[in-house]
Amino acid sequence: MSVTNALAIDCEMVESYNKSLLARVSIVNQHGSTILDEYVKPSSTVTDYRFLVNKKWNIDNGQDFSYVKNKVANLLQGRILVGHSIHFDLEVLQLSHPESKRRDLAKYNRLQKNGQPVALKTLAKNYLGRDIQESAEHDSVEDAKACMDIYLKLAHEWEYNF
């Protein structure tokens, strides 16, 4: 489980009175290996478990937010961050990451349709021939791996144009 120059991230969130809270964060390396997969204990009352209702136990018994936030911050330091709509992940983690080090599939022109983001599920099907998000519950590891694989398919072109 080596930390590579590029890491892909995906977060799952729950809701507390119309505010998103981090429930799970997953990070994979360029080889598709999971280097972080943590459930996070809610910092306030959960009013909607969204897709994670079957993971309530994992969330309620998860790590403290500050511990996970620091772990993620240390991993991302100086690395390329790959994801889909990364700003939501960074926002719920209360972290920033330089734009020059972000590779956001939702913002990359080649992956958009009519200037609009395309769902990760659709991108995975179109670029990888892979079906993801098939169940009612999303899997942040599966989504992070799909993001990394799509990025790697386009990395040469992406980095050249960057």
Side-chain angles (χ1 to χ4, degrees):
M1 290 194 304
S2 63
V3 178
T4 53
N5 185 48
L7 298 174
I9 191 168
D10 188 65
C11 295
E12 301 295 342
M13 299 159 212
V14 292
E15 193 173 299
S16 176
Y17 304 103
N18 297 319
K19 181 181 181 230
S20 292
L21 300 176
L22 180 65
R24 182 183 182 190
V25 58
S26 303
I27 298 176
V28 301
N29 67 15
Q30 289 173 249
H31 310 295
S33 298
T34 304
I35 60 169
L36 178 78
D37 186 25
E38 295 277 4
Y39 284 94
V40 180
K41 191 181 309 177
S43 53
S44 58
T45 304
V46 176
T47 55
D48 185 355
Y49 279 87
R50 298 181 181 167
F51 301 111
L52 299 169
V53 70
N54 293 331
K55 301 290 184 194
K56 182 182 182 312
W57 186 90
N58 301 68
I59 296 165
D60 290 344
N61 293 285
Q63 295 285 352
D64 288 329
F65 174 79
S66 59
Y67 170 81
V68 174
K69 175 185 175 179
N70 289 335
K71 214 167 168 180
V72 171
N74 289 334
L75 281 171
L76 300 185
Q77 188 75 35
R79 292 189 168 74
I80 291 171
L81 180 60
V82 178
H84 189 273
S85 298
I86 296 172
H87 62 282
F88 290 120
D89 298 316
L90 291 171
E91 186 178 300
V92 78
L93 281 159
Q94 299 173 11
L95 291 173
S96 61
H97 198 72
E99 281 290 336
S100 64
K101 293 282 191 180
R102 294 185 197 185
R103 302 299 182 267
D104 194 332
L105 304 180
K107 290 185 175 182
Y108 190 49
N109 288 341
R110 178 166 174 197
L111 298 176
Q112 293 182 336
K113 185 173 184 175
N114 300 323
Q116 295 298 312
V118 174
L120 180 59
K121 180 176 181 156
T122 303
L123 293 175
K125 186 66 171 175
N126 293 347
Y127 285 86
L128 306 173
R130 186 185 306 167
D131 292 318
I132 64 169
Q133 302 174 352
E134 291 292 284
S135 68
E137 274 189 27
H138 291 192
D139 181 343
S140 50
V141 171
E142 177 184 59
D143 289 358
K145 285 181 179 184
C147 287
M148 180 58 78
D149 290 345
I150 293 165
Y151 168 72
L152 291 174
K153 273 190 167 264
L154 303 171
H156 179 74
E157 163 195 316
W158 197 327
E159 296 307 324
Y160 179 76
N161 290 325
F162 203 83

